[in-house]
């Protein structure tokens, strides 16, 4: 017997009766995807410019990722960490190679970005110093440890008390503020945790000089420099990891989102023998982390990015995307932030939420990361003709959003 196809309203009604309300009402009920597009259960097609929040780095249903997952699932999905698999070791080696980590570096596999950051917190605690420093605007995850490093008070305050030892958040990308906090608290800080590009804060890249200063101060004061590359890593900005443009070597990085091409996986990479030695046998663990299925997905992703010159492509296509949007010279667009396949369209008015709703109605998935910023985090393989489709529609979307905003302001 064939089931009747589910309609979106019917699924959403059941959603409300069965799922915890933390995400609000879902905007769509999706059915399948291919490349740059996803389809909802009613057959509507959308150009996906958010990529599952910077996760689907090779687009949807990439044949090699799908085949790698299917083949590995038929062979061996999971083993405990009493054992290893060739897939796990191979992925660790390839991550160490692309991260440029020195001899003696190592990988710990987790299942998410949050878990990777939790591992970094434990690494920092092993320095013997209780202090953790993070920045304003930071997003590091929602577990009570990672949440203590996350800045947004609305996320943190209802769950106090969180992990102790976290200093007041230091203003992001502000060299003087960083110097001041290290001058005062340098001996207490076990780790400074910072995103080379803040994604959730609205796509805010740190200056290379700021990252250089962070390296200098942490080294001088004996603290670890931990870079959260969960959103900015795996080629998203046209280099493997965004910090590589600043020419610095961190003590640890955390990776997740793009790594599995959509399959859940996270990783902590520790740089060099001394940092790696901070977490010894029995001091951390996971049941699912590093399972062969997740690692097979990660291997397929890294293989395609390397083999197909995807980093260069991201750089070129990202520049096209920036130029095309700037070239609109639209009165509502203040400018572009970020690069590659992580960009924020900065707007002159708080019309991003409305523009993203109108965009979805017109067949584009967009993210209103801030009231005045639309975030784009599409597939690293985004086709240039799809950029043209989006840019052709963007002016009309912003015109309508601005008119509605003006009308609402006049009416109130
Ligand atoms: C998404 C994100 C996280 C959290 O990752 P999850 O997989 O959602 O746990 C942490 N840090 C940054 C920078 C992120 O973008």
């Amino acid at each position: 017997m064939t089931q009747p196809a589910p309609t979106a309203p019917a699924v959403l009604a059941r959603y409300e009766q069965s799922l915890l309300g933390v995400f609000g009402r879902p905007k769509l009920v999706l059915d399948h995807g291919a490349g740059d597009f996803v389809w909802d259960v009613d057959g509507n097609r959308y150009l996906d410019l958010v990529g599952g929040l910077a996760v689907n780095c090779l687009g949807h249903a990439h044949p090699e990722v799908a085949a790698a997952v299917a083949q590995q699932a038929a062979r061996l999905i999971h083993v405990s960490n009493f054992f290893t698999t060739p897939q796990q070791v191979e992925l660790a080696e390839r991550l160490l190679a692309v991260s440029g980590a020195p001899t003696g570096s190592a990988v710990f596999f987790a299942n998410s970005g949050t878990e990777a950051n939790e591992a970094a917190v434990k690494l920092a605690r092993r320095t013997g110093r209780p202090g953790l420093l993070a920045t304003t605007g930071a997003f590091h995850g929602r577990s009570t440890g990672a949440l203590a490093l996350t800045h947004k008070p609305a996320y943190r305050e209802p769950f106090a008390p969180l992990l102790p030892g976290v200093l007041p958040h230091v203003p992001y990308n502000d060299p003087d503020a960083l110097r001041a906090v290290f001058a005062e608290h340098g001996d207490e800080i076990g780790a400074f945790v910072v995103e080379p590009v803040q994604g959730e804060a609205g796509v805010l890249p740190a200056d290379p000089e700021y990252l250089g200063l962070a390296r200098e101060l942490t080294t001088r004061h004996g603290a670890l420099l931990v870079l959260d590359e969960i959103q900015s890593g795996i080629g998203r900005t046209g280099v493997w990891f965004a910090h590589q443009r600043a020419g610095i070597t961190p003590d640890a990085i955390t990776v997740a989102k793009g790594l599995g091409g959509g399959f859940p996986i996270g990783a902590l990479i520790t740089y060099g023998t001394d940092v790696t030695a901070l977490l010894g046998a029995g001091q951390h663990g996971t049941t699912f982390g590093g399972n062969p299925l997740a690692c097979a997905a990660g291997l397929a992703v890294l293989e395609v990015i390397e083999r197909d010159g995807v980093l260069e492509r991201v750089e070129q296509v990202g520049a096209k995307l920036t130029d095309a949007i700037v070239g609109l010279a639209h009165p509502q667009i203040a400018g572009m932030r970020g690069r590659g396949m992580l960009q924020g369209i900065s707007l002159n008015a708080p019309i991003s939420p409305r523009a993203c709703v109108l965009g979805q109605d017109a067949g584009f998935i967009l993210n209103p990361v801030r009231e005045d910023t639309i975030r784009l985090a599409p597939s690293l393989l985004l086709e240039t003709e799809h950029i043209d489709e989006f840019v052709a529609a963007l002016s009309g979307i912003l015109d309508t959003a601005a008119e509605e905003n003006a009308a609402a302001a006049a009416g109130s």
Side-chain angles (χ1 to χ4, degrees), residues 199-267:
E200 300 309 301
V203 189
L204 306 176
D207 297 326
E209 299 76 27
Y210 177 75
L211 295 177
L213 178 69
R215 176 67 286 180
E216 194 187 309
L217 291 170
T218 46
T219 301
R220 191 188 314 152
H221 291 273
L224 302 179
L225 177 62
V226 177
L227 300 179
D228 181 338
E229 289 265 16
I230 288 163
Q231 187 157 159
S232 55
I234 311 293
R236 186 144 292 279
T237 70
V239 286
W240 279 106
F241 297 104
H243 75 268
Q244 290 170 333
R245 286 191 197 281
I248 57 164
T249 303
D251 296 306
I253 66 173
T254 51
V255 187
K257 295 204 162 91
L259 178 55
F263 200 91
I265 182 168

Side-chain angles (χ1 to χ4, degrees), residues 112-115 117 139-141 195 197 200 228 230-231 256-257:
S112 67
T114 298
E115 282 178 60
N117 283 336
F139 185 81
H140 297 298
E195 297 153 271
V197 182
E200 300 309 301
D228 181 338
I230 288 163
Q231 187 157 159
K257 295 204 162 91

Side-chain angles (χ1 to χ4, degrees), residues 135-174:
T135 65
T136 58
F139 185 81
H140 297 298
R142 305 284 204 129
S143 62
T144 53
L147 186 57
L149 299 174
T150 292
H151 179 233
K152 200 172 178 173
Y155 289 173
R156 269 189 299 120
E157 283 170 359
F159 306 100
L162 299 171
L163 180 76
V166 179
L167 283 93
H169 291 77
V170 62
Y172 181 65
N173 204 24
D174 179 336

Side-chain angles (χ1 to χ4, degrees), residues 286-361:
T286 167
T287 297
F288 291 118
N291 68 77
L293 190 55
C295 291
L299 280 173
V301 167
L302 297 194
E303 171 67 22
V304 171
I305 293 177
E306 274 184 340
R307 187 197 63 204
D308 295 352
V310 172
L311 300 182
E312 296 74 26
R313 191 177 189 289
V314 166
E315 182 69 4
Q316 286 161 14
V317 177
K320 263 190 193 141
L321 178 64
T322 313
D323 292 349
I325 295 173
V326 170
L328 283 176
H330 193 279
Q332 294 300 329
I333 298 179
M336 298 292 288
R337 292 192 299 266
R339 71 194 285 167
M341 291 301 138
L342 183 57
Q343 300 202 30
I345 308 173
S346 171
L347 303 171
N348 286 319
I351 58 171
S352 172
R354 187 62 197 146
C356 292
V357 170
L358 293 166
Q360 183 180 298
D361 293 345

